[in-house]
Amino acid sequence: MSSSSTGAGTADVIGAARERIDALDGQILDLVRERMAVSATVQEARIAAGGRRVQLSREMEILDRYRQRLGKPGTTLAMTLLELCRGRV
């Protein structure tokens, strides 16, 4: 196999992988928006019942889950998700 055909094969693999990444990113963004909507529902119900908008113990559970699955960067990701989902009510 010549180096030019190897390069073309590599470009095909990279192109296909990037298309898949773009599709996954679209799904992730849709899921984040859905999470934001569900979180708003929870916050509205909690406030209507006289509670606080944010429940810190629940947020700590979420942070821990992400950290356990993804390590320290998971905590950063969880913090970003929590920030996106707070205060929309």
Side-chain angles (χ1 to χ4, degrees), residues 14-44:
I14 291 170
R18 286 181 175 164
E19 285 180 20
R20 181 65 180 136
I21 287 170
D22 291 345
L24 290 167
D25 283 345
Q27 292 175 12
I28 291 166
L29 291 167
D30 289 344
L31 288 169
V32 168
R33 293 194 58 91
E34 182 178 349
R35 188 189 194 290
M36 290 167 68
V38 172
S39 181
T41 300
V42 170
Q43 290 176 49
E44 288 168 358

Side-chain angles (χ1 to χ4, degrees), residues 1-88:
M1 188 179 275
S2 71
S3 62
S4 62
S5 63
T6 302
T10 300
D12 290 343
V13 168
I14 291 170
R18 286 181 175 164
E19 285 180 20
R20 181 65 180 136
I21 287 170
D22 291 345
L24 290 167
D25 283 345
Q27 292 175 12
I28 291 166
L29 291 167
D30 289 344
L31 288 169
V32 168
R33 293 194 58 91
E34 182 178 349
R35 188 189 194 290
M36 290 167 68
V38 172
S39 181
T41 300
V42 170
Q43 290 176 49
E44 288 168 358
R46 194 180 303 119
I47 290 169
R52 298 177 53 178
R53 179 175 51 85
V54 175
Q55 186 178 14
L56 295 179
S57 62
R58 173 69 176 148
E59 288 195 356
M60 294 306 293
E61 291 173 15
I62 293 166
L63 290 169
D64 189 52
R65 181 180 321 130
Y66 275 74
R67 182 192 53 74
Q68 286 181 21
R69 296 284 300 269
L70 301 172
K72 186 176 178 183
T75 303
T76 303
L77 177 59
M79 286 297 296
T80 300
L81 283 171
L82 291 170
E83 183 178 345
L84 283 168
C85 294
R86 281 189 206 125
R88 302 276 183 201

